[in-house]
Amino acid sequence: MPKERQVPQILDAALVRAWCALSLDALGRAREEIDAINVYPVADGDTGTNLYLTLESAAQAVEAAFAGHEPELPSAAQAARAMAHGALIGARGNSGTILAQLLRGMAEVLAAEDARDTADEPVGPARAAGDARALRRALRRAAESAYEAVAHPVEGTVLTVATAAADGAAGAADDCRSVVRAAYRSARTALEATPRQLAVLGRAGVVDAGGRGLVAVLGALVEACTGERPAPALPGPSGSPGPVGSAEQMAPVGSVESVGSVEECEDGVGGPAYEVIYLLEATDPAVERLRARLDGLGDSLVVVGGDGLWNVHVHVDDAGAAVEAGVEAGRPYRIRITHFGAGDAHTARGGDARPVREPAQRAIVAVVPGEGLAGLYGEAGATTVLARPGEPPASGELVQAIRRAHAREVVLLPNDAELRHTAAAAAEQARTEGVRVALIPTRSAVQGIAALAVHEPGRRFDEDVVSMTSAAGATRYAELAVAERQSWTTAGICQAGDVLGLIDGDVAVIGATPGPDATDTLVETAVTVLDRMLAAGGEMVTLVLGDEVPDRVADLLERHVRDAHLAVDTVVYRGGRHAALLLVGVE
């Protein structure tokens, strides 16, 4: 932000907007530094990146709120709610999820202030004092709500830093500048103490990465309120920024009682293999049941949100079970499953913890069109990016997935012809960062499944890529969809509601508009598609059913293939929500 910008004198929407933009800038500058000290709860080197992406989503939501109110301005509460909502839907990783809840806690207090019409008060000492008191309450509620969201809170983490910020603010004078400066100073002090509270940090000689990110966000709040950028979180010997959390800056490590079980994170080297994150539409009682179930499946459980929308984060060995638990609780979507990599997940737990885990040799990154497929790919070891209807992933999202995979070599499966340029741009960007990336031009998820089936990490990279490319290329693909409007197709004119059979991307069959029993029309169209595809030969048929398609469809299609096409095997998967009605692959 330019130095001559006007600094808001009161707690209003302009201050929230400035804070959000400055936070994004601060996390952008500190991203690599924070990634490098990320050892807890998993040493996967992505905390800084996750925090940045979370704030990026928050900033986009704030700008949308301002645009939506033009020519008027939103209230402080509306801007804060937009910031919190954007962070919630874009939260990444354990740290980003907690940050989203911190922002939500602050927004709750500001919304209550807004309900009392404090914005109508004239600007003066009384208004300034009221805003300062509201800001203190907001910081306190933020810390409390973050503790409530974490299944097993542990001191020496971002939770400790958030509480210290609230404690510092509580003793400040009744003006916003004093409150934010006191909160920042206390947060810095708490951050410097984290290695003495959490042994894994002390052994690695670093401060908590999530706490370091929160200090950056609080520093941005100071700058938004005062126009002055505060001193670095941990200055070097000369007063200039040094390597945050370096061993030279750490006081001797001691032991401090924690509110959670630190030992549970230090009693072994092993840990869950997958990180599972999804948004969830569900009721409060359903979420409480979900918490209990996920707590039994894994660790690092954080569930944030409210008012029917939640962000769920957990580390588990059974990614499919974590997703299924979400399906039972409500409607999960935007599912992201990350495979930590054999042998390096939770390495921070052992006595030989290192600040950054070694990259895996090879990883698969795949775009998938449904939650069920995300679970299937995730169980096969792939890092997945969910393609939502009408919301194809951008190249930056693919680049972040490649970074999350944390491997020297990456095979990228776009699984959509429309993503070929996006995937190529992401691959090129990743190569500039030193990752060897091979882009296999898969045009459907079933081609990606065929490629995964022949993937062998032990082979030379080039040989593995050739084998996977050959398997994908030898797989013809089809899709059943419902026409949204009347239009011309390569098979003739279709009407809105007709079932369409697309083979290799082109409409090949126009089925009738579904009648009372839509299953019959779906099966008839699928049988025609299968017969056309198998006329040229085939050994294996893969069927991926959408969430609304009954199991009877798969039974009827399997029976048809068995009766009409000898020696052809069939395998069936569930694609889940957002998947096509039916995907067909013929190898």
Side-chain angles (χ1 to χ4, degrees):
M1 303 287 286
K3 289 183 179 178
E4 63 271 16
R5 68 176 176 81
Q6 263 195 324
V7 178
Q9 300 298 310
I10 57 174
L11 186 56
D12 61 3
L15 187 143
V16 175
R17 186 185 204 180
W19 175 36
C20 192
L22 290 167
S23 294
L24 185 62
D25 181 61
L27 288 172
R29 295 193 306 271
R31 181 181 62 80
E32 292 183 1
E33 171 190 289
I34 297 172
D35 282 345
I37 63 170
N38 173 203
V39 302
Y40 179 86
V42 180
D44 48 0
D46 64 359
T47 291
T49 298
N50 286 337
L51 288 169
Y52 179 83
L53 291 172
T54 301
L55 244 300
E56 184 178 47
S57 179
Q60 290 170 351
V62 169
E63 292 307 312
F66 270 78
H69 280 82
E70 289 181 349
E72 304 278 330
L73 290 178
S75 66
Q78 288 169 331
R81 280 197 297 264
M83 186 176 178
H85 181 73
L88 175 68
I89 64 175
R92 303 295 183 98
N94 188 74
S95 54
T97 308
I98 293 174
L99 177 60
Q101 188 70 357
L102 288 165
L103 295 175
R104 179 180 173 83
M106 295 188 72
E108 287 177 358
V109 172
L110 295 180
E113 289 294 305
D114 197 43
R116 288 197 289 268
D117 294 326
T118 55
D120 293 334
E121 295 179 14
V123 176
R127 171 73 187 276
D131 284 352
R133 290 191 293 271
L135 190 52
R136 282 199 292 263
R137 289 195 298 273
L139 289 168
R140 177 64 64 194
R141 179 57 193 147
E144 291 172 350
S145 63
Y147 269 90
E148 293 165 3
V150 178
H152 300 285
V154 173
E155 293 294 355
T157 64
V158 62
L159 300 176
T160 306
V161 176
T163 299
D167 291 343
D174 272 351
D175 69 88
C176 287
R177 295 181 179 187
S178 296
V179 169
V180 297
R181 284 174 173 146
Y184 179 72
R185 286 194 300 268
S186 295
R188 280 186 58 184
T189 300
L191 176 67
E192 293 167 8
T194 55
R196 298 192 296 275
Q197 294 176 287
L198 197 53
V200 64
L201 301 177
R203 288 195 298 268
V206 298
V207 295
D208 179 66
R212 171 66 181 88
L214 178 57
V215 167
V217 172
L218 292 171
L221 182 58
V222 172
E223 187 174 357
C225 285
T226 67
E228 303 169 359
R229 182 176 295 178
L234 289 175
S238 63
S240 60
V244 172
S246 62
E248 292 78 13
Q249 296 165 336
M250 292 299 140
V253 175
S255 61
V256 179
E257 183 181 358
S258 73
V259 299
S261 175
V262 177
E263 290 77 10
E264 73 183 7
C265 300
E266 300 176 4
D267 59 4
V269 178
Y274 301 98
E275 178 186 60
V276 178
I277 305 174
Y278 50 79
L279 291 178
L280 178 70
E281 293 178 359
T283 63
D284 289 7
V287 169
E288 285 306 309
R289 293 191 295 271
L290 175 66
R291 288 179 195 268
R293 181 167 177 189
L294 291 180
D295 194 27
L297 288 176
D299 60 25
S300 297
L301 174 61
V302 185
V303 181
V304 305
D307 301 320
L309 180 62
W310 310 82
N311 190 305
V312 179
H313 170 281
V314 68
H315 295 169
V316 293
D317 281 321
D318 190 343
V323 174
E324 288 172 7
V327 172
E328 292 180 4
R331 187 178 80 87
Y333 59 103
R334 292 194 184 185
I335 296 173
R336 291 191 296 272
I337 299 174
T338 303
H339 185 246
F340 288 124
D344 52 17
H346 290 228
T347 51
R349 298 182 175 198
D352 298 321
R354 302 176 61 180
V356 181
R357 66 180 173 94
E358 286 295 316
Q361 183 59 35
R362 191 173 307 160
I364 308 295
V365 173
V367 180
V368 293
E371 291 93 336
L373 285 172
L376 174 66
Y377 273 74
E379 289 172 3
T383 296
T384 60
V385 178
L386 187 64
R388 299 168 291 276
E391 298 180 50
S395 60
E397 193 170 352
L398 299 185
V399 171
Q400 292 304 327
I402 292 172
R403 290 172 181 157
R404 291 200 314 272
H406 199 55
R408 299 182 181 90
E409 303 166 341
V410 170
V411 179
L412 180 57
L413 305 174
N415 291 339
D416 187 340
E418 298 298 322
L419 289 177
R420 61 188 184 280
H421 297 306
T422 300
E428 188 59 35
Q429 172 61 35
R431 292 181 188 118
T432 67
E433 300 177 7
V435 182
R436 189 180 184 188
V437 182
L439 171 60
I440 297 179
T442 49
R443 294 175 291 173
S444 172
V446 290
Q447 288 188 321
I449 291 172
L452 271 178
V454 300
H455 167 54
E456 291 186 16
R459 276 194 299 222
R460 289 178 56 248
F461 185 61
D462 292 337
E463 292 177 358
D464 199 29
V465 171
V466 168
S467 178
M468 294 176 72
T469 302
S470 177
T475 302
R476 298 188 69 196
Y477 65 96
E479 175 183 341
L480 265 62
V482 176
E484 295 181 356
R485 64 185 66 87
Q486 183 188 63
S487 59
W488 289 87
T489 75
T490 52
I493 301 175
C494 71
Q495 305 297 324
D498 285 350
V499 176
L500 305 180
L502 294 84
I503 298 178
D504 294 337
D506 294 323
V507 177
V509 179
I510 300 177
T513 300
D517 189 352
T519 300
D520 291 341
T521 302
L522 189 62
V523 170
E524 290 171 6
T525 309
V527 164
T528 304
V529 167
L530 280 168
D531 288 343
R532 290 195 185 186
M533 296 177 74
L534 289 169
E539 299 175 355
M540 170 74 74
V541 170
T542 300
L543 302 175
V544 180
L545 278 66
D547 205 41
E548 65 272 39
V549 178
D551 292 334
R552 187 166 71 90
V553 171
D555 296 337
L556 292 171
L557 295 180
E558 281 188 282
R559 186 183 310 159
H560 174 76
V561 172
R562 185 170 59 249
D563 294 342
H565 304 278
L566 300 178
V568 177
D569 295 325
T570 304
V571 61
V572 178
Y573 300 109
R574 275 287 176 182
R577 288 186 175 91
H578 302 316
L581 277 177
L582 180 68
L583 292 178
V584 180
V586 174
E587 302 174 47

